[in-house]
Every structure is written in structure tokens, then in C-alpha cells.
Amino acid sequence: MSLNKLVGGDCGGNNSLVQLSNIVSRDASHSMSQADRFVNEFMAQNTEIPQTFNMNALLNNIHAVEKVNKASSISKVNQLSSNINFPWLPGPSTVIPGPSMMRTMPMQPNSLLLPQRNTNMQIQYINESELKNTDVQGKAQEYVDSVNEDSELAYNQFMSFMKRMSAGELNLGENHSEQSDLKKDTFVEEMAEKYKDEWEKLSDVNDYWESEIAYGIPAEYMFTEGNAMLENKNALELGKERLKMGDVPGAVLCFEAAAQQHPDSAEPWFLLGTTQAENEQDPLAITALKKSLSIDPRQLEAYITLAAAYTNENMPKFAYLELSKWLKGSPKYSDLCPQDVKPEEMNLKQLEAYVMSQYLKAAQLNPTQIDPDVQSAMGVIFNANQQYDKAVDCFKTAIMVAPDNAKLWNRLGATLANSDKSEEAVDAYQQALNLEPGFIRARYNVGITCMNLKAHREAAEHFLVALNQQYKARDIYPSNSSVDNSSSAIWTTLRMVCSYMGEHDAAKLVDEKNLTELNKFFKIDV
């Protein structure tokens, strides 16, 4: 159906006069001849065109209904999301990270539902093929008979058309239908040919969505600009010292410098990756750890840390593959891995079952001796498939033999938070912070847990402590440097807390990233 048929005055019944007026309007290229004057007089006598409804008013109502329905749908989704814990969402972004063994998620208040408007308005459209062609022919014949004595009109193109119509040589409905089908087929063929190459690329999207690029993982590590530690030949050792002091961001810059100074050495890349994981920067941690393992695949700790980072970024298949590589590379458990099995060719469910069965065999290999790495890896697997109670048991078992491992305490805390045990989670996080006061991720997780407990002011204080720790490394940059190495996830969550508290002035300071004034507002001693 043409657009004119939809929004014009002929939305009502089948009116031959209106159909005739449309034919006349398409002949606008001719000057005002006597035939045109006759037509105008003819149409002037038939101005009463039946209309069943006002189309403009209907369109306005449709837009209003769409807006209300859209707002109502969004509100319902928000209400549902407030009661769901989404595991392992990606890191720094404008969306608050979900619960994971590295992060926890704030509970969101229920949204108010907007009332929905009900409408029973029904629209019936006519099919042009249903027009009574005999009516049109009759009107055309009547008009031709009235002017057939005029020699000027006899040769007029319009009259020729009208004569063909009156003789039944033209059928409006069939002609329009044939033209529409022809145009439709031609359009489809042209579009198919034009976008042939693009369609072939899009038709096979599995390769893209199963790649790390789709998850925002950089192919190459993105070093911080203006790093003054590049001039220090002892950057690696200085980074280790800063890490012991709890200066995680400062250690990151030192390890970045060391990795640039010695790009073929696995140690700086490994330390850079593990430290970035503590710094709430999983994508960069993944890139650095992969680089480290490409240089030296024997670094078993890197596999488990990499698997944890993948899990935090909602990439379980990648996590399972790294855990499988850990088993294969371990002198204790390499014999458990069949040589003819290729885990990378399995789908997610098969891979999960395979890796879990392998780690269960590893745990049962020596029941009297607990291997904290095996238990930690099993905790990662249970977190990925959301079996949090089993994950808690694994991390607690690992802590029994490695009580000084801050990462294990942090993973236990996040897993407890996922299990709706926020009070116990805070205790676990505190243990991690007692061991490593500069553990930014653990500090951030404490703040998220405080949000879930409705302790918003305490949550804001923890976020500000984490941001102040990240800003400690600013003394390494040149005085004129505008580099901001702070975590966007922490800023975003702090903004949410300020909104919950109704502190709009503080929220504006967050938007400006004015850490100095925020410290004053919340009375944080730096």
C-alpha cells in the first residue's frame, strides 16, 4: 500500500471519486488545459470525502502509547534486576560490576511502575486490489463522453489515459500489485548484491563473539603514558618494594616500565598482570599474564590468576581452558590429562564437565594432603557455574593450609557475598586487608558489601580510600601530566552511593572527579 493511501483522506471505504482524484494528481506535469479545468470542476462537486478517522490524531496516540509502554517495560526490568545477582560481569564500565570472587554487587532499590494505558483502537486497511474497477471505468467513461467533441482534448495525454481506463484496458488493482511485486523483487536483489560481502561476514559471527576482542580484552598491553619510571633501571625491584608497602598503583607503573625495558622477560609481565588484577583492572591483567605465559609457560600461578580474571570478565570458557593448562603443566597432575583430548574443541558444557572431573581426580590423588592451588581452582570453577556453597568450601579448605594468602581471603569474601552472606563476607575481606592494606580490589569489595547492607556512608568511605590509594602513584608522573589511572568502576559505584544518600553536591564532585573536595565532604584523612 502506498504512503498516500495510508495517511491521505481515502483511509475510509472504497471511493471511486477519491481514486479518480489520485489519478488526476499524478498528471501534475501538464499545464492547466481545458481538460484540467474540467477535472477541477468535477472534483469541486465531490468534496464530501468519507473519512472514518483522523490519522494524525491516531499517530500521536500511538507515539504516546509507545512511550508509556517503553517506560513501563524498563521499570519492570529494573524491578526484576534488583532481585537478581548477575555473576561475573565485566570490569570498569558505566555498568556496576556484578558479583564475583573478585567483586560484589550493590542491591538496587525497586523502581516505581508506571501505569499502562489500554487502547482497543483497531485499524483496518483496504487493499487496492479490492477497489471496484468497474466504478472507476464508469466515471472515466462518463467524463470522456462529456468532452469528446473538444478536439484539443482528443489528443491530450490525459484523455488518452482516460479512454484506456474507460475501455477496461487498465486495471488499477492488478497494475499496482504487479508493480509492487516487481519493485519488491528488484529491491531485494539489489540489496543482496550490494551487501553480499558484509552479509557473508555477519553470517558467521561465532568466531567474533568467541574471541577476546568481543569482551574488550586488548590484543596488546596499553602502557601508561608519561611514566617517569621508564628512566629508572631498577624499576622491577622498586615495583616489588612498592607492592610490599601497599602502593599497588605505584607498583603497576614500575612493572610497566620494567616490561618495556625487558619485553622478553616473563617476570615483569607476570608481576604486572597479578598486580593489575589487584588494582581492579582485569582486562589489562589478562593481556599481561598471557604475554608472560607466552614467554614462559611454566609459571603455574599465572594460569590460576588468569582464570580468575577471565571469570570476573564473564568469560568462563577461557577460564576453564587456563585451568586445564595448569593441570597439564603441573608435574604432579600432568599424567591425569589425556593426550588425545583437545579441550579447546569442546563446547562450554563439555569443557566445564571435563575440567571439573580432572580437578576432582587431582584432589583425590592424595586425600591426606590438601593442595591449596587445586582447591582454589575448584573454587573458581564452582563460582563460574554459580555453585557458591561448594566454592566457599573450596576456598575455606585452601585457606586452612595457606592462611596468609590475601587473594584467597578476598575470593572467599566475594563468594560469601554471592551467597547472600554479607556479614561473613566483610570479615573475609578484612582478613585480606589485614594481610595487604593496599589490596584495592578487596577494599572495593568491602564498599560494595556495605552498599548491600544499606550502609551507604561507610561504602562511600571505602571507595574513597581505594581511590586515594590509586592516586598515590601520581608522584611518579610528570607535574604536567593529565594521566588518570584510577578505576572507572570505583567512580561509578561511588556516584551511585551518593545518589542513594541524596547527596547531590557530592555526586557533582564525583562527576568532576574532585577527590580533594570529596575527602573533605566525607571527612577522609589522607
Side-chain angles (χ1 to χ4, degrees):
M1 184 183 297
S2 65
L3 183 60
N4 186 49
K5 298 294 185 296
L6 179 61
V7 299
D10 55 359
C11 287
N14 299 333
N15 193 305
S16 300
L17 299 180
V18 177
Q19 181 68 21
L20 182 60
S21 72
N22 290 338
I23 297 173
V24 174
S25 66
R26 289 195 290 266
D27 198 36
S29 60
H30 297 284
S31 60
M32 181 66 74
S33 64
Q34 187 175 356
D36 299 325
R37 290 195 297 272
F38 279 128
V39 172
N40 289 338
E41 292 175 3
F42 179 78
M43 294 304 303
Q45 297 174 3
N46 296 278
T47 56
E48 297 290 334
I49 300 174
Q51 298 185 18
T52 55
F53 56 85
N54 186 320
M55 196 62 186
N56 290 331
L58 174 61
L59 292 175
N60 291 334
N61 287 336
I62 290 175
H63 291 312
V65 172
E66 287 179 348
K67 290 180 180 179
V68 173
N69 289 340
K70 183 177 181 181
S72 176
S73 300
I74 294 174
S75 299
K76 287 183 178 181
V77 172
N78 289 340
Q79 185 185 37
L80 290 172
S81 64
S82 65
N83 298 319
I84 300 176
N85 284 335
F86 295 93
W88 317 102
L89 295 182
S93 67
T94 57
V95 180
I96 300 305
S100 70
M101 80 188 148
M102 306 302 280
R103 310 185 187 102
T104 33
M105 177 181 180
M107 299 295 291
Q108 301 180 9
N110 292 334
S111 302
L112 296 176
L113 293 178
L114 297 178
Q116 293 189 14
R117 289 174 53 187
N118 294 323
T119 175
N120 295 321
M121 183 177 295
Q122 297 181 354
I123 305 174
Q124 294 183 350
Y125 301 102
I126 64 172
N127 190 329
E128 292 184 35
S129 63
E130 296 175 0
L131 289 174
K132 294 182 178 179
N133 202 51
T134 56
D135 293 343
V136 180
Q137 293 176 12
K139 294 296 178 181
Q141 183 63 52
E142 180 182 343
Y143 179 72
V144 170
D145 292 341
S146 67
V147 297
N148 59 7
E149 298 299 329
D150 193 316
S151 59
E152 178 185 351
L153 294 178
Y155 298 99
N156 187 281
Q157 182 178 3
F158 172 70
M159 284 303 301
S160 177
F161 174 79
M162 294 295 288
K163 287 181 178 180
R164 294 177 65 194
M165 178 62 67
S166 64
E169 296 177 9
L170 295 178
N171 190 312
L172 294 178
E174 293 179 359
N175 184 53
H176 176 79
S177 177
E178 292 175 0
Q179 290 181 353
S180 298
D181 292 341
L182 180 60
K183 291 181 178 179
K184 184 186 300 183
D185 294 340
T186 303
F187 174 77
V188 172
E189 292 175 1
E190 290 178 353
M191 294 298 291
E193 182 65 26
K194 182 177 181 181
Y195 296 103
K196 181 179 179 181
D197 294 338
E198 287 75 5
W199 179 250
E200 289 178 354
K201 294 177 182 177
L202 292 175
S203 62
D204 187 14
V205 297
N206 290 335
D207 291 342
Y208 173 77
W209 289 114
E210 291 181 359
S211 68
E212 295 186 4
I213 298 177
Y215 292 89
I217 308 301
E220 298 292 336
Y221 188 92
M222 296 178 290
F223 292 101
T224 305
E225 297 180 0
N227 187 354
M229 295 307 300
L230 283 170
E231 301 176 1
N232 194 317
K233 296 181 179 181
N234 297 320
L236 182 62
E237 297 302 321
L238 185 59
K240 294 177 182 179
E241 293 178 6
R242 283 184 175 262
L243 194 58
K244 291 179 181 179
M245 295 167 53
D247 183 6
V248 173
V252 166
L253 293 175
C254 291
F255 295 142
E256 283 189 356
Q260 289 175 280
Q261 293 167 355
H262 308 283
D264 296 328
S265 175
E267 184 181 14
W269 286 107
F270 169 76
L271 291 172
L272 177 58
T274 55
T275 308
Q276 282 288 33
E278 293 186 24
N279 196 36
E280 190 66 25
Q281 302 286 1
D282 279 315
L284 293 175
I286 290 172
T287 306
L289 289 169
K290 287 179 59 180
K291 179 67 174 179
S292 174
L293 287 170
S294 68
I295 298 172
D296 184 3
R298 297 171 297 177
Q299 301 175 97
L300 296 181
E301 185 180 349
Y303 290 113
I304 295 181
T305 305
L306 186 55
Y310 276 132
T311 307
N312 288 337
E313 293 301 303
N314 195 26
M315 302 167 68
K317 185 172 183 178
F318 291 88
Y320 296 149
L321 288 174
E322 296 305 320
L323 293 175
S324 176
K325 293 176 185 177
W326 183 89
L327 275 178
K328 192 172 182 179
S330 173
K332 295 182 183 178
Y333 310 111
S334 58
D335 293 339
L336 297 175
C337 303
Q339 298 298 321
D340 57 342
V341 175
K342 296 181 179 180
E344 61 275 4
E345 296 180 359
M346 300 179 181
N347 61 37
L348 182 59
K349 288 296 182 182
Q350 293 172 337
L351 183 58
E352 177 185 317
Y354 169 75
V355 174
M356 177 54 71
S357 66
Q358 296 303 105
Y359 271 91
L360 287 174
K361 292 178 182 178
Q364 298 168 358
L365 197 61
N366 192 352
T368 61
Q369 185 176 358
I370 298 174
D371 187 334
D373 291 330
V374 171
Q375 294 297 325
S376 178
M378 292 177 64
V380 173
I381 297 172
F382 284 126
N383 260 289
N385 59 29
Q386 301 181 37
Q387 298 185 58
Y388 298 124
D389 290 340
K390 294 181 179 179
V392 167
D393 292 338
C394 290
F395 289 130
K396 285 184 175 180
T397 302
I399 288 173
M400 289 174 58
V401 294
D404 296 332
N405 190 322
K407 294 182 179 65
L408 288 176
W409 282 107
N410 178 64
R411 292 171 187 172
L412 173 61
T415 307
L416 288 166
N418 290 337
S419 304
D420 295 327
K421 300 176 182 178
S422 297
E423 292 82 0
E424 296 180 45
V426 172
D427 293 337
Y429 292 141
Q430 195 58 52
Q431 290 289 343
L433 291 171
N434 290 339
L435 293 169
E436 292 186 19
F439 199 161
I440 292 175
R441 169 157 278 161
R443 180 71 64 182
Y444 173 67
N445 283 347
V446 175
I448 294 295
T449 305
C450 289
M451 286 184 67
N452 292 337
L453 294 172
K454 310 300 181 184
H456 294 142
R457 187 172 188 86
E458 290 78 4
E461 291 172 354
H462 283 291
F463 295 145
L464 285 172
V465 170
L467 288 171
N468 281 300
Q469 287 177 327
Q470 289 187 327
Y471 272 72
K472 280 183 180 180
R474 284 198 169 247
D475 61 323
I476 300 180
Y477 298 106
S479 58
N480 61 346
S481 175
S482 59
V483 175
D484 181 9
N485 216 25
S486 58
S487 170
S488 60
I490 300 178
W491 281 112
T492 302
T493 317
L494 178 59
R495 178 66 165 79
M496 182 183 292
V497 172
C498 293
S499 298
Y500 287 164
M501 296 174 64
E503 298 290 356
H504 302 296
D505 292 338
K508 291 181 180 178
L509 294 175
V510 174
D511 293 337
E512 299 169 359
K513 291 190 175 182
N514 193 334
L515 188 58
T516 302
E517 293 301 320
L518 283 168
N519 287 332
K520 294 179 181 178
F521 188 93
F522 287 97
K523 299 179 180 179
I524 302 296
D525 295 330
V526 181

